[in-house]
Amino acid sequence: MTATEASAPKAASKTEGDQGEEEEEDDYLSMAIIEPAKSYQKETYTQRRIRKQHEAESKNPKSKAQLATEAAAAQAQSLSTAIPQTSKGFKMLSKFGFIPGDSLGAKNNPHARMEPIELDMKIDRGGIGMDSEKKRKFKDAVEEETKRAKLGESDFRERVSREREVERLERLVVGAMKVAERMDEDERLESDRGTAGVAAELAPVVEESEGLVPEPAASAKIMAMPTKNINVLWRGLARQRLEKERDRRMRHDLMQSLSRNSNYIDDEADSGKAALETAEEEVEEDDPELEEFNALEPDQRLQKLVAFLREKFHYCFWCKYQYEDANMEGCPGITEEDHD
Amino acid sequence: MAQKRTFQDYEADDDPKKKSKTGEIIREDKQQERDPKRNPYLAHMYNSEDEEDGGVGLNGFASNGQAFNNTYHSYTRGKSLDSFTRHRTTSAQASKAEDGPENPFTGNPLSEKYFGILKTRRNLPVHVQRDEFLKLYQETQILVFVGETGSGKTTQIPQFVLYDDLPQNRGKLVACTQPRRVAAMSVAQRVADEMDVTLGEEVGYNIRFDNKTSSQTILSYMTDGMLLREAMNDHDLKRYSTIILDEAHERTLATDLLMGLLKEVALRRPDLKIIIMSATLDAQKFQTYFALEEDKQAPLLAVPGRTHPVEIFYTEKAERDYLEAALHTVLQIHATEPEGDILLFLTGEEEIEDACRKINLEVDEMIREADAGPMKVYSLYGTLPPHQQQKIFEPAPPPSRPGGRPGRKCIVSTNIAETSLTIDGIVYVVDPGFSKQKVYNPRARVESLLVSPISKASAQQRAGRAGRTKPGKCFRLYTEEAFRKELIPQTYPEILRSNLASTALELKKLGIDNLVRFDFMDPPAPETLMRALEELNYLACLDDDGELTVLGRLASEFPLDPALAVMLISSPEFYCSNEMLSLTALLSVPQIFVRPNNNRKRADEMKALFAHQDGDQLTMLNVYHAFKSPEAQANPKQWCHDHFLSLRALQSADNVRTQLKRIMETNEIQLMSTPFEDKKYYENIRKALVAGFFMQVAKRDGTGKTYLTVKEEQSVLLHPSTVLASDAEWVLYNEFVLTSKNYIRTVTVVKAEWLLDIAPTYYNIDDFKKGDVKTALIRADERIRRKKALKGSR
């Protein structure tokens, strides 16, 4: 109830005198009975008017354009919202055997419409083809408005908790990647021991550098391998390392060039050169496969990793345990919830 | 696109003025020219589903009390058909019988006129394929026939059927449906002439308010809505031996329902023959739909029409302002193109009148400054009075001086010139690509006419109009790419663009139990049916299980929107059924107020004479009562002219009223009035309005000018034409107009108490969202309680 509304019956009383009076009287009564907002009751009319005025002034008055956009957005909203399943019409249709997602008419009629025809309002005299561009822009604006309104509505806490969840999942993804990489390496080493010859044939350069650098064999090998050979599930890790390494090298080179001692030969620097070159090439290069994988939501990436670990190594990421066989007896299930 | 002409022009052999365009144009009958209703040019005038008349589809009036006469005809018949075996005849046999000398159907000697027409008929494209047609007709139950405009299908095919189906021997009829009333009338007249019989005897028509058939009738042209009404009382359509659905490509609501229905009837009645006739070549869809067995499509017969090639031109880029571009193109054609008339398609009355004015101004200047030829500009739209529509057939003006450049005419029209009527002499078509189309959205419960892009099929139809008499040109005011990418292939059938409340009620009455599984050719969105069922339930026409109630059964007897029917049926409760009868009639016809552009002020002053402060409906009723007064009836034409009213609309309302009254009487609904002196006279009428239109109510939003529709909460404004000052809290509206602003048109002031009292289910306060509307309803509810309590304590 606003102050101005209260005056509406007065206007009406011009035409129907007695009715108007009655309404005003009722007004007061009804407020007392129904409206639980007790503060309203004790205000006098003047007080309320002043308060309302203050309230109105404190708010920024909306511009015409703003109002129009809001109305358009409201209309677009109602046109894009399907009739709820709680509606009487839906219930009646259900009694005829209709289930949501179904269409009317004979089964498998390719012409059946699922959604009502869109109301496309033409607001100017743009010719065919001219409009579509504008309309798209307008639609975008309306969508934006709707989205914004929604965002404003949604609770701040909810949003924060959503962001936290994403962060948590990202951390889990990195963890799972590390596990996968390690297990993969272990397996590779295992098989290397058995078939060293084959490995030598495959990567002679690596063998050389291995001989020179007494570093952990596996990581050097991975560094030297073109990252595209690495399973995309944890390729991101290797790539990150490469980037890090390149940055380190660059810093190192810079330092060197500033204080180069021609007598001093940095074994380490030379030995890593081959790897570095590949790394540099790699880092520059695009990797659509990896990009695609990284574009997935964190929970999807995690799911893929978990599934991979189970399949390949019978390892459950949630139990943190490597089972004997594919049955993985004792593991409650594939999802995190299963392990709660 | 336009097909090269392959047949000899059948009009050439006769007097050039005597053009018989297969029932579309009949000029020889002077009688017809004088009576506008009989005039085939005016097909659109009497069609309630015209694009601009917001009237309720009354197409197909109730066939109550109409006896289904199944007795054998007892009149004398010719002997020439005696040797015919049903479904075994050939075109040679038929031709022989047609050659006389006695009329095969009446036994009377055939007239000279008959033989004159026969000659023309045998030159029609369909005639060449008569044997082919007969073979397919005899072999199959359902046949799809495609004949382009000018092929002669509408007049000839039913006659071909008569000679083979011989309905007269079995006491049956052949029905041929038409989407438009006037088409049914004029074609029936033409075919009666062709068969040398009296209209209403062997050949008749049956349309809303006008049944011109008798027990002798063997061929009945009827509106699709009329046949649908008949099916409500006779689910198997037993009186017919063959049913022809003509102009099926127009996909009217009634035709679509009939198709679904006939598919079922065909299974129950193997003896029934069905022919689907269409003018467009997308017959595949019909063939598939009518495949009674799987993978066995209905057979197709196609007959080419007579058209000339049409050259199509596109613009290079999209137009910023299609109206400006259209005017520019018209003037360009006039300045540079050789002789030939111009047809420009625009969307509505206002736009058309505006364009005509502008073209006239420009042409005057062209004549003065560039020695251009004279050009006569005509407007054409559904609400135009008949004598003005007639003008478009006047010949183009002669050169302004001997030897000067030839004159031409330019017709600026809505899409009624696209299919419903044919104007000869058009060589240039200008197509901006828009038309006004009805749309309905069940989510917002909004039904409105919107300017929308046309379909590819429509664009082709428009282009074809340029090739009626000689090769023509079509100027499309959009790019070829836009044509390909932006236009939908086919115009959406009416069933997808309509509120289905009436349809759902009709289907129920047609004996369709499960509305969800009814085999629509194009099934509408489920939400549309949901809304329809819900509305019918609130109107108490269907119960919660979706079954017809007594009220629903009664409402379906009226060829009205369910809301109007319910309003009429419940009006005795408010002691005003006479008045509601008048009002229903007034709401079912086109706009009764005339407001010419050059005299708006005077028109408004005249309207103010009738104005009632509480609403437009009451104002309309005042007009009607004044119209029926002896003073006005002394010279109705003059009276209407003086008061800026449409005589045609008022007379039409009068006619509708008579028909509705008959249905009221048949169903024993009491006719009564509150005495005019009673102060409740108008209040009762307003309450009776609520009984039908409680779902079309809006409440004022705060103190501003805007209103909110009660449940869907759409923001609307009162239409500027209203007599109301915008300070009423609750209004009931007849129509939602969707433009850049949303308007509600034809409004009446109501009270919240009435809403709660008359439609308690819909106005169940608990169902409302928290807000202004709910608060106001709660307050009204309190008022009612208090009043009751007061009364009780007394």
Side-chain angles (χ1 to χ4, degrees):
Chain A
M1 265 306 272
T2 62
T4 33
E5 241 192 300
S7 65
K10 267 189 193 160
S13 70
K14 265 184 254 165
T15 44
E16 283 157 294
D18 49 346
Q19 187 74 25
E21 257 175 52
E22 200 177 275
E23 274 182 33
E24 238 168 5
E25 197 182 18
D26 285 346
D27 211 349
Y28 169 75
L29 266 178
S30 68
M31 298 299 278
I33 296 162
I34 306 139
E35 297 269 323
K38 292 210 170 118
S39 61
Y40 281 30
Q41 279 177 38
K42 289 176 185 160
E43 274 179 327
T44 65
Y45 177 77
T46 327
Q47 279 172 332
R48 195 167 71 192
R49 206 192 59 205
I50 291 166
R51 181 175 58 79
K52 284 282 170 189
Q53 204 174 348
H54 280 310
E55 274 177 19
E57 275 166 4
S58 67
K59 270 190 241 160
N60 278 335
K62 283 176 179 167
S63 73
K64 249 188 180 167
Q66 218 172 338
L67 281 171
T69 327
E70 271 181 23
Q75 179 150 16
Q77 177 78 35
S78 83
L79 288 177
S80 61
T81 315
I83 298 174
Q85 303 197 355
T86 48
S87 77
K88 203 168 205 171
F90 182 88
K91 284 176 197 153
M92 289 177 78
L93 208 62
S94 306
K95 290 204 173 136
F96 289 119
F98 174 82
I99 47 165
D102 211 356
S103 60
L104 301 184
K107 294 266 181 206
N108 305 323
N109 185 337
H111 305 293
R113 269 203 92 83
M114 302 301 295
E115 296 262 306
I117 293 172
E118 237 175 280
L119 282 184
D120 256 338
M121 235 158 322
K122 186 164 175 56
I123 31 189
D124 58 9
R125 284 192 186 149
I128 295 210
M130 176 61 80
D131 243 23
S132 53
E133 179 72 5
K134 274 189 205 158
K135 215 166 260 169
R136 215 194 55 233
K137 278 186 191 154
F138 178 74
K139 229 183 210 169
D140 285 353
V142 167
E143 255 161 42
E144 191 70 15
E145 178 76 18
T146 335
K147 217 192 255 171
R148 227 177 32 145
K150 263 191 195 149
L151 230 121
E153 278 166 29
S154 75
D155 203 1
F156 170 72
R157 272 184 302 186
E158 204 177 290
R159 204 174 73 223
V160 167
S161 79
R162 209 166 42 233
E163 280 167 6
R164 287 216 176 115
E165 175 65 11
V166 170
E167 270 170 41
R168 190 184 71 90
L169 283 170
E170 287 288 5
R171 278 199 304 275
L172 283 172
V173 168
V174 172
M177 278 163 119
K178 282 185 174 154
V179 172
E181 185 179 39
R182 203 195 68 230
M183 296 197 106
D184 189 58
E185 263 169 43
D186 285 353
E187 196 189 56
R188 203 187 297 260
L189 279 179
E190 200 96 351
S191 61
D192 271 3
R193 249 170 242 143
T195 57
V198 180
E201 246 174 61
L202 276 175
V205 186
V206 178
E207 284 296 315
E208 256 181 60
S209 59
E210 223 175 3
L212 285 165
V213 190
E215 257 195 305
S219 54
K221 200 157 96 188
I222 280 170
M223 200 171 275
M225 250 166 52
T227 49
K228 284 202 174 144
N229 290 356
I230 301 171
N231 190 326
V232 73
L233 292 177
W234 61 88
R235 191 185 298 160
L237 275 185
R239 236 175 126 107
Q240 250 171 27
R241 263 199 306 269
L242 276 180
E243 271 160 41
K244 226 176 182 173
E245 176 65 16
R246 185 190 60 174
D247 289 351
R248 195 184 66 81
R249 287 276 165 190
M250 275 162 73
R251 263 198 309 275
H252 180 84
D253 281 356
L254 193 69
M255 298 299 272
Q256 288 288 307
S257 68
L258 288 177
S259 62
R260 186 167 282 278
N261 184 341
S262 54
N263 294 332
Y264 179 73
I265 297 164
D266 189 347
D267 283 30
E268 209 188 341
D270 274 348
S271 68
K273 217 160 198 164
L276 182 63
E277 268 162 23
T278 17
E280 264 175 5
E281 274 167 33
E282 290 257 339
V283 171
E284 308 285 300
E285 235 177 88
D286 281 335
D287 186 347
E289 194 189 359
L290 183 64
E291 272 166 31
E292 195 186 319
F293 179 70
N294 282 342
L296 294 174
E297 291 295 313
D299 55 332
Q300 279 172 300
R301 271 180 280 150
L302 185 60
Q303 203 186 334
K304 281 189 180 216
L305 275 158
V306 169
F308 172 83
L309 286 170
R310 290 178 78 90
E311 199 183 310
K312 186 113 189 252
F313 306 113
H314 313 315
Y315 178 83
C316 173
F317 183 70
W318 309 115
C319 303
K320 307 274 180 234
Y321 183 75
Q322 190 165 18
Y323 290 90
E324 293 297 319
D325 53 18
N327 291 337
M328 302 183 63
E329 215 167 291
C331 174
I334 192 158
T335 63
E336 189 177 10
E337 287 83 14
D338 294 336
H339 292 76
D340 276 346
Chain B
M1 190 131 321
Q3 191 161 345
K4 197 146 178 77
R5 137 149 92 175
T6 45
F7 294 87
Q8 179 202 342
D9 192 343
Y10 66 96
E11 286 141 20
D13 57 352
D14 233 312
D15 173 17
K17 270 186 194 161
K18 205 170 166 184
K19 293 184 178 176
S20 57
K21 283 272 172 176
T22 63
E24 284 172 277
I25 294 186
I26 308 160
R27 273 211 167 165
E28 54 215 327
D29 197 335
K30 285 277 181 288
Q31 192 73 40
Q32 284 202 327
E33 266 185 42
R34 253 174 272 130
D35 180 2
K37 276 193 186 174
R38 294 270 182 88
N39 192 317
Y41 296 127
L42 308 174
H44 45 281
M45 297 296 311
Y46 296 91
N47 169 22
S48 60
E49 270 146 29
D50 230 342
E51 84 285 8
E52 263 178 338
D53 101 40
V56 181
L58 275 167
N59 222 354
F61 207 76
S63 49
N64 278 337
Q66 177 186 305
F68 295 142
N69 194 336
N70 270 348
T71 52
Y72 283 60
H73 307 163
S74 54
Y75 57 96
T76 46
R77 244 195 337 257
K79 303 263 182 293
S80 51
L81 298 181
D82 286 356
S83 61
F84 282 39
T85 317
R86 189 164 174 259
H87 298 165
R88 292 257 153 67
T89 69
T90 63
S91 85
Q93 274 178 292
S95 289
K96 198 164 164 256
E98 278 173 356
D99 285 339
E102 58 161 36
N103 189 324
F105 295 100
T106 62
N108 299 334
L110 289 162
S111 70
E112 211 166 298
K113 189 179 161 202
Y114 168 87
F115 289 106
I117 305 176
L118 186 62
K119 204 172 139 198
T120 332
R121 283 172 57 204
R122 292 201 171 150
N123 269 327
L124 285 169
V126 281
H127 194 81
V128 185
Q129 276 157 292
R130 188 167 184 167
D131 262 326
E132 209 178 322
F133 167 76
L134 284 175
K135 192 167 166 280
L136 280 174
Y137 172 72
Q138 289 159 0
E139 276 171 5
T140 52
Q141 190 177 8
I142 304 182
L143 168 66
V144 179
F145 184 96
V146 169
E148 288 174 49
T149 329
S151 63
K153 63 176 189 317
T154 306
T155 51
Q156 303 308 301
I157 294 293
Q159 294 186 62
F160 293 178
V161 167
L162 285 183
Y163 277 93
D164 187 61
D165 201 29
L166 307 169
Q168 65 274 24
N169 296 345
R170 300 163 63 232
K172 302 257 178 191
L173 277 100
V174 170
C176 181
T177 67
Q178 297 291 319
R180 278 173 294 275
R181 289 160 49 77
V182 172
M185 283 195 290
S186 62
V187 175
Q189 178 64 62
R190 170 70 193 179
V191 173
D193 289 348
E194 289 189 0
M195 289 174 60
D196 213 9
V197 298
T198 312
L199 181 67
E201 290 181 2
E202 280 76 14
V203 178
Y205 63 82
N206 189 3
I207 59 175
R208 167 179 58 120
F209 305 148
D210 198 355
N211 182 357
K212 224 172 174 62
T213 59
S214 65
S215 61
Q216 277 158 276
T217 304
I218 52 173
L219 171 59
S220 171
Y221 282 93
M222 58 209 303
T223 50
D224 44 11
M226 202 68 215
L227 187 62
L228 196 64
R229 289 246 139 216
E230 223 180 290
M232 288 183 193
N233 296 314
D234 174 14
H235 297 340
D236 284 344
L237 293 162
K238 287 190 274 299
R239 11 191 235 150
Y240 301 100
S241 56
T242 298
I243 292 172
I244 304 168
L245 298 186
D246 197 8
E247 317 289 356
H249 62 276
E250 291 200 16
R251 304 291 309 278
T252 60
L253 241 172
T255 293
D256 267 18
L257 297 182
L258 275 174
M259 288 198 291
L261 195 70
L262 286 179
K263 241 184 120 166
E264 292 185 8
V265 177
L267 297 174
R268 294 196 294 262
R269 277 192 58 195
D271 63 307
L272 177 71
K273 296 261 186 196
I274 296 161
I275 303 172
I276 311 295
M277 299 210 285
S278 160
T280 49
L281 284 165
D282 63 318
Q284 176 78 37
K285 201 168 172 182
F286 292 109
Q287 285 183 276
T288 317
Y289 181 66
F290 283 106
L292 289 186
E293 293 161 48
E294 213 158 317
D295 300 327
K296 212 181 156 201
Q297 293 197 331
L300 168 74
L301 182 63
V303 174
R306 276 199 190 100
T307 41
H308 300 268
V310 175
E311 206 178 338
I312 311 266
F313 298 90
Y314 293 95
T315 57
E316 271 174 23
K317 53 181 180 25
E319 293 295 337
R320 195 174 296 280
D321 182 333
Y322 71 83
L323 190 58
E324 213 169 89
L327 300 182
H328 184 77
T329 311
V330 166
L331 296 169
Q332 191 78 27
I333 293 170
H334 187 50
T336 58
E337 295 285 342
E339 201 171 351
D341 298 337
I342 304 170
L343 174 60
L344 163 63
F345 285 101
L346 289 178
T347 62
E349 175 177 342
E350 213 170 305
E351 194 179 71
I352 288 172
E353 291 297 355
D354 185 42
C356 287
R357 245 191 323 275
K358 283 179 179 155
I359 296 173
N360 271 326
L361 282 176
E362 294 287 332
V363 168
D364 286 348
E365 201 178 305
M366 279 167 77
I367 294 171
R368 258 184 282 123
E369 288 173 11
D371 192 32
M375 181 157 81
K376 202 85 172 95
V377 186
Y378 300 100
S379 52
L380 179 62
Y381 42 85
T383 49
L384 203 66
H387 64 274
Q388 265 178 301
Q389 295 205 4
Q390 195 71 337
K391 282 188 185 158
I392 63 164
F393 297 105
E394 284 170 12
S400 39
R401 57 185 160 74
R405 296 171 69 175
R408 66 174 108 220
K409 61 179 174 184
C410 172
I411 295 159
V412 187
S413 168
T414 60
N415 56 350
I416 59 171
E418 194 178 302
T419 47
S420 7
L421 86 171
T422 304
I423 313 146
D424 282 325
I426 300 290
V427 180
Y428 307 100
V429 164
V430 180
D431 173 20
F434 292 102
S435 71
K436 250 186 202 170
Q437 290 165 24
K438 180 169 75 174
V439 276
Y440 173 69
N441 188 296
R443 294 174 178 174
R445 287 207 314 124
V446 173
E447 188 173 47
S448 198
L449 284 165
L450 287 185
V451 173
S452 322
I454 58 170
S455 65
K456 288 193 181 78
S458 228
Q460 289 183 353
Q461 185 73 32
R462 286 180 173 191
R465 296 276 116 174
R468 292 284 299 182
T469 28
K470 63 178 187 177
K473 288 180 180 176
C474 173
F475 299 88
R476 291 185 175 157
L477 304 181
Y478 36 89
T479 63
E480 193 170 1
E481 196 196 358
F483 172 79
R484 276 188 282 112
K485 290 192 184 157
E486 305 256 328
L487 302 189
I488 53 169
Q490 297 288 334
T491 310
Y492 291 121
E494 200 184 353
I495 197 162
L496 301 182
R497 300 187 278 113
S498 308
N499 181 338
L500 295 183
S502 312
T503 305
L505 195 62
E506 276 164 6
L507 284 173
K508 271 285 157 198
K509 191 75 196 299
L510 285 165
I512 309 297
D513 289 328
N514 191 339
L515 299 185
V516 167
R517 287 287 153 246
F518 181 71
D519 190 2
F520 299 100
M521 189 165 185
D522 282 272
E527 286 173 58
T528 315
L529 188 57
M530 264 177 223
R531 208 44 119 182
L533 293 175
E534 186 175 292
E535 285 183 20
L536 288 171
N537 183 262
Y538 282 127
L539 285 168
C541 288
L542 293 182
D543 62 20
D544 287 349
D545 294 325
E547 296 309 319
L548 272 182
T549 60
V550 179
L551 180 60
R553 213 167 281 281
L554 194 52
S556 74
E557 296 289 329
F558 291 85
L560 295 168
D561 209 53
L564 274 173
V566 167
M567 171 181 100
L568 200 51
I569 295 166
S570 25
S571 60
E573 292 170 38
F574 305 95
Y575 312 102
C576 57
S577 41
N578 280 317
E579 286 72 23
M580 295 325 277
L581 193 54
S582 310
L583 198 47
T584 308
L586 290 164
L587 292 172
S588 307
V589 298
Q591 184 57 260
I592 57 169
F593 296 103
V594 178
R595 196 165 180 258
N597 272 329
N598 51 12
N599 218 348
R600 289 186 179 171
K601 201 170 160 250
R602 184 89 186 117
D604 291 344
E605 282 167 15
M606 280 300 148
K607 186 175 174 181
L609 291 179
F610 304 104
H612 188 287
Q613 59 175 6
D614 283 337
D616 298 311
Q617 281 91 337
L618 305 181
T619 305
M620 287 166 81
L621 200 60
N622 286 347
V623 170
Y624 184 73
H625 289 151
F627 173 69
K628 296 300 276 181
S629 70
E631 185 204 335
Q633 285 298 315
N635 186 354
K637 198 175 169 195
Q638 188 59 43
W639 187 83
C640 284
H641 181 265
D642 292 348
H643 293 87
F644 289 86
L645 297 167
S646 161
L647 174 64
R648 208 161 49 88
L650 284 168
Q651 279 172 338
S652 168
D654 224 11
N655 186 14
V656 174
R657 190 184 192 279
T658 316
Q659 304 297 324
L660 292 174
K661 189 173 166 213
R662 203 167 296 158
I663 303 177
M664 301 261 291
E665 284 162 355
T666 317
N667 291 291
E668 292 172 350
I669 299 167
Q670 224 179 331
L671 288 162
M672 55 170 94
S673 295
T674 308
F676 189 69
E677 307 74 45
D678 194 315
K679 64 176 180 179
K680 295 222 160 169
Y681 180 82
Y682 284 111
E683 188 178 307
N684 284 344
I685 294 169
R686 283 155 67 201
K687 282 184 177 169
L689 270 166
V690 170
F693 285 94
F694 56 84
M695 285 180 275
Q696 285 168 225
V697 170
K699 187 192 174 297
R700 190 152 74 131
D701 189 14
T703 53
K705 282 202 162 110
T706 54
Y707 282 75
L708 280 180
T709 59
V710 281
K711 279 214 176 151
E712 282 70 31
E713 297 191 350
Q714 300 283 300
S715 181
V716 292
L717 291 168
L718 300 184
H719 194 269
S721 68
T722 185
V723 297
L724 288 190
S726 59
D727 62 357
E729 197 181 3
W730 298 88
V731 292
L732 164 157
Y733 61 91
N734 185 52
E735 197 187 346
F736 193 112
V737 188
L738 208 56
T739 55
S740 54
K741 285 174 185 160
N742 297 337
Y743 288 112
I744 47 176
R745 187 152 62 188
T746 317
V747 292
T748 282
V749 184
V750 293
K751 288 183 185 165
E753 287 92 325
W754 301 347
L755 301 172
L756 291 166
D757 183 39
I758 298 167
T761 336
Y762 191 74
Y763 287 93
N764 180 359
I765 294 174
D766 296 340
D767 292 348
F768 282 81
K769 267 189 274 179
K770 204 176 156 198
D772 199 24
V773 173
K774 185 166 184 161
T775 318
L777 287 173
I778 292 172
R779 273 193 288 137
D781 191 42
E782 278 308 314
R783 280 198 294 272
I784 295 174
R785 276 166 214 261
R786 248 170 36 83
K787 232 178 223 168
K788 270 190 194 150
L790 267 174
K791 263 186 199 159
S793 67
R794 245 176 234 161

